[in-house]
């Protein structure tokens, strides 16, 4: 491990509201902050919002600045990236933000049922070949239900036509109403998304500078919903086999969808 990473890990140990726990502690079910985010971490009863795969933490910090009546927790397994947002949070004393270094699959080890109000998923790997690894798959949505309030909101921002189409079709197939739905966030009518347009992650700025459109979908997640995968095959984002910023197939902004039952 490089000296720079070690330095960042060491510095994060000194930051307020940055949490890193050994796996052994979690398997014993003794995580000290589970169920205590309101009382011990944020010291208020404001809604808790998670950003999954937060990367450098720009979105977590940006939302915390814009929405002081909510608490935001950035979650990622890569601490060296998280250091950027955690340092800004600590430097500017942003008390309604926190960071948690862990795998997304371990959410239940850190949050009680109903402790989370919203989840943001910002520019994840679309996992085109691995359905179970997509962060908007039924597997993960069922996990989110275990820590969220009933009808808590899931937000997805992505540059991937594949993941956007997959998530939209999953919502349609399961009769989940969408609160927001656009395949061109920055081309939407003025005023429609003003509350989030001002926050751009490092990767989002890269995609925009290279001509990619940003897609956004938000929907409620009911506890009693029994979710099924949409019975379709979606054309992959072929440009992702090259540099992520190089748009090889612009027509994929309206990807072809084929019923799985019709697949040869």
């Amino acid at each position: 491990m490089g000296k720079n990473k070690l330095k960042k890990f060491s510095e994060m140990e000194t930051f307020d509201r940055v949490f890193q726990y050994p796996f052994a502690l979690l398997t014993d079910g003794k995580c000290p902050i589970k169920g205590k985010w309101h009382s011990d971490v944020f010291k208020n009863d404001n809604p808790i919002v998670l950003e999954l795969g937060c990367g450098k933490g720009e979105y977590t910090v940006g939302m915390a600045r814009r929405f002081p009546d909510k608490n935001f927790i950035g979650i990622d397994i890569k601490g060296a990236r998280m250091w950027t947002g955690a340092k800004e949070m600590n430097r500017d004393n942003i008390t309604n933000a926190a960071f948690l270094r862990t795998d997304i699959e371990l959410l239940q080890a850190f949050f009680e049922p109903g402790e989370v109000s919203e989840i943001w998923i910002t520019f994840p790997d679309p996992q085109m070949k691995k359905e179970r690894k997509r962060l908007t798959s039924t597997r993960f949505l069922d996990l989110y239900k275990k820590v969220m309030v009933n009808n808590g909101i899931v937000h997805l921002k992505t540059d991937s036509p594949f993941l956007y189409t997959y998530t939209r079709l999953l919502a349609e197939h399961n009769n989940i109403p969408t609160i927001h739905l656009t395949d061109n966030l920055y081309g939407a009518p003025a005023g429609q998304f003003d509350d989030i347009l001002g926050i751009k992650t490092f990767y989002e700025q890269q995609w925009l500078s290279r001509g990619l459109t940003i897609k956004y979908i938000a929907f409620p997640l009911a506890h009693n919903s029994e979710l099924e995968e949409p019975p379709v095959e979606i054309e992959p984002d072929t440009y992702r086999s090259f540099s992520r910023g190089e748009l090889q197939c612009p027509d994929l902004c309206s990807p072809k969808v084929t019923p799985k039952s019709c697949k040869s």
Side-chain angles (χ1 to χ4, degrees):
M1 183 181 295
K3 291 183 179 180
N4 193 38
K5 283 189 176 182
L6 290 174
K7 181 180 178 181
K8 288 179 178 180
F9 289 149
S10 178
E11 189 173 6
M12 283 210 301
E13 293 290 344
T14 70
F15 293 161
D16 292 331
R17 298 179 306 284
V18 175
F19 301 93
Q20 305 177 81
Y21 293 104
F23 183 74
L25 180 68
L26 304 181
T27 56
D28 291 340
K30 298 178 181 178
C31 180
I33 56 173
K34 182 177 181 179
K36 299 180 180 179
W37 289 94
H38 284 118
S39 61
D40 292 6
V41 178
F42 297 114
K43 304 185 188 306
N44 62 51
D45 293 326
N46 294 337
I48 290 175
V49 182
L50 307 184
E51 183 193 3
L52 304 183
C54 68
K56 294 176 181 288
E58 310 103 311
Y59 220 79
T60 295
V61 172
M63 289 193 294
R65 290 186 186 276
R66 281 168 170 74
F67 304 104
D69 57 343
K70 294 182 180 181
N71 302 312
F72 296 88
I73 304 171
I75 298 176
D76 207 303
I77 192 60
K78 296 186 177 180
R81 292 181 184 175
M82 186 185 297
W83 172 87
T84 301
K87 186 175 181 65
E88 181 180 349
M89 173 194 71
N90 189 72
R91 181 195 67 209
D92 296 346
N93 193 30
I94 303 173
T95 58
N96 64 322
F99 287 90
L100 173 63
R101 187 183 176 200
T102 189
D103 284 311
I104 293 171
E105 288 89 343
L106 298 178
L107 285 181
Q108 283 184 278
F110 294 96
F111 299 96
E112 291 284 359
E115 200 169 9
V116 175
S117 294
E118 298 178 51
I119 286 178
W120 278 85
I121 306 167
T122 53
F123 303 95
D125 186 326
Q127 297 289 350
M128 290 178 282
K129 295 182 180 180
K130 300 176 181 178
E131 183 179 275
R132 283 178 52 81
K133 289 192 174 184
R134 296 173 201 157
L135 293 186
T136 55
S137 68
T138 56
R139 173 190 172 221
F140 276 98
L141 294 181
D142 284 337
L143 171 61
Y144 305 155
K145 286 191 291 184
K146 294 176 181 177
V147 300
M148 295 183 77
V149 298
N150 188 35
N151 289 315
I153 308 301
V154 175
H155 306 259
L156 170 70
K157 282 182 76 176
T158 179
D159 63 301
S160 167
F162 176 91
L163 186 61
Y164 171 75
T165 300
Y166 165 78
T167 306
R168 175 177 61 80
L169 293 175
L170 187 147
E172 290 178 3
H173 180 68
N174 290 282
N175 297 313
I176 300 173
T178 53
I179 299 170
H180 295 299
L181 183 71
T182 177
D183 61 1
N184 187 1
L185 180 62
Y186 293 92
Q192 188 171 353
F193 300 108
D194 285 353
D195 54 343
I196 63 171
L197 286 181
I199 309 171
K200 295 185 181 73
T201 69
F202 171 78
Y203 293 108
E204 183 174 5
Q205 293 181 66
Q206 282 193 326
W207 309 154
L208 286 169
S209 70
R210 297 171 184 177
L212 301 184
T213 59
I214 305 303
K215 300 101 173 71
Y216 171 51
I217 180 172
F219 53 89
L221 197 55
H223 284 174
N224 62 357
S225 57
E226 295 185 8
L227 304 176
E228 296 180 347
E229 291 292 332
V232 295
E233 290 290 341
I234 304 168
E235 186 173 341
D237 293 344
T238 56
Y239 66 85
R240 286 183 177 273
S241 61
F242 299 84
S243 169
R244 281 194 73 189
E246 184 177 355
L247 187 58
Q248 298 291 329
C249 298
D251 60 305
L252 288 184
C253 288
S254 299
K256 300 175 183 177
V257 178
T258 303
K260 286 184 178 178
S261 59
C262 296
K263 184 182 178 183
S264 58

